[in-house]
Amino acid sequence: MESVTNTTISRAFSKAARWQIIITVLISGVSLLLAGVHAAISALAGGASVVIGAYAGMLIAQSPKGSAASTVLITLLKAEAVKVLVIAILLLITFKYYQGLVPLALIGGLAGSALASGAGMRAVNNVNDK
Amino acid sequence: MENTVQFMALIQAYTGIGIGLIIGLGAAGACIGIGIMCSSFLDGAARQPELIPTLQGKVFLLLGLIDASFIIGVGLAMMFAFANPLLAVIK
């Protein structure tokens, strides 16, 4: 059962990450055209922080110590906490140390990437979608 | 000069309150949503334990979706904390 769960979670993550990367690159391209290189880098930083955070969360979620519902739930909540923490730390580093930051572009990349995480639902719902 | 300092202090004070509200209300909403979803997950798992692996993937993704608004709020709060656009009015 554990391997089935891990496959489901990693498949959902890959599907979501694919869409997150596509949307981040799109927003970054638009920012490059509208506001220059720094805006494009800012949008990439915002999107990348969400993708990296989701990856860290997936690593935690893949290792439940048991198959009981409560254990699975605690592991998932732990994974979510790690994800939010990683994203917050990455955003803090970006805001603190990137001198040419364009805040609106970063927020745009972050929002697009965070909202695109729902795309993984398709991978979970469709069992034939490898 | 004195007025400028007073205006800056006022803007920063109100911005601080705004940041607290953004993060606090966002966290409260996310917690309520996660609580409702987790209780439904436990309910479903108690009724049909064989569905736990299927539900786990969905719960993981929905946790991300529920937290998306909170994460965007944290990003906005950091923008106001580190690069406050409202201060540009008096500069």
Side-chain angles (χ1 to χ4, degrees), chain A residues 30-121:
Chain A
V30 172
S31 307
L32 179 67
L33 291 176
L34 293 179
V37 179
H38 283 302
I41 296 173
S42 301
L44 277 181
S49 56
V50 175
V51 176
I52 294 170
Y55 181 70
M58 186 204 67
L59 290 182
I60 303 288
Q62 272 189 336
S63 55
K65 294 180 176 63
S67 56
S70 57
T71 316
V72 167
L73 195 58
I74 287 171
T75 311
L76 285 175
L77 290 177
K78 234 186 264 179
E80 197 55 31
V82 168
K83 178 183 161 185
V84 171
L85 201 65
V86 168
I87 292 173
I89 289 171
L90 288 175
L91 285 178
L92 192 66
I93 290 170
T94 311
F95 272 106
K96 190 99 177 154
Y97 293 109
Y98 183 28
Q99 298 297 324
L101 182 76
V102 181
L104 278 181
L106 184 133
I107 298 297
L110 178 82
S113 187
L115 293 174
S117 63
M121 284 304 282

Side-chain angles (χ1 to χ4, degrees), chain A residues 1 5 9 12 58 61 69 72-73 76-77 80 83-84 87-88 91-92 95 103 107 110-111 117-118 120-121 124-125, chain B residues 34 38 41-42 45 52-54 56-65 67-68 70-72 74-76 78-79 82-83:
Chain A
M1 188 168 85
T5 305
I9 287 182
M58 186 204 67
V72 167
L73 195 58
L76 285 175
L77 290 177
E80 197 55 31
K83 178 183 161 185
V84 171
I87 292 173
L91 285 178
L92 192 66
F95 272 106
I107 298 297
L110 178 82
S117 63
M121 284 304 282
V124 175
N125 283 333
Chain B
I34 286 173
C38 289
F41 170 70
L42 287 177
I52 290 177
T54 315
Q56 188 183 354
K58 294 183 182 182
V59 169
F60 179 67
L61 280 172
L62 286 174
L63 276 176
L65 269 184
D67 263 1
F70 173 63
I71 289 168
I72 294 168
V74 169
L76 278 173
M78 281 190 183
M79 182 184 89
F82 290 100

Side-chain angles (χ1 to χ4, degrees), chain B residues 4-88:
Chain B
T4 309
V5 174
Q6 277 182 350
F7 283 141
M8 279 185 72
L10 202 62
I11 289 173
Q12 283 177 339
Y14 281 126
T15 303
I17 294 172
I19 289 170
L21 284 174
I22 290 172
I23 293 182
L25 291 178
C31 284
I32 291 169
I34 286 173
I36 291 171
M37 190 188 60
C38 289
S39 75
S40 301
F41 170 70
L42 287 177
D43 197 18
R47 286 172 194 272
Q48 287 178 290
E50 70 274 10
L51 281 183
I52 290 177
T54 315
L55 290 175
Q56 188 183 354
K58 294 183 182 182
V59 169
F60 179 67
L61 280 172
L62 286 174
L63 276 176
L65 269 184
I66 291 170
D67 263 1
S69 59
F70 173 63
I71 289 168
I72 294 168
V74 169
L76 278 173
M78 281 190 183
M79 182 184 89
F80 281 112
F82 290 100
N84 193 348
L86 303 177
L87 286 175

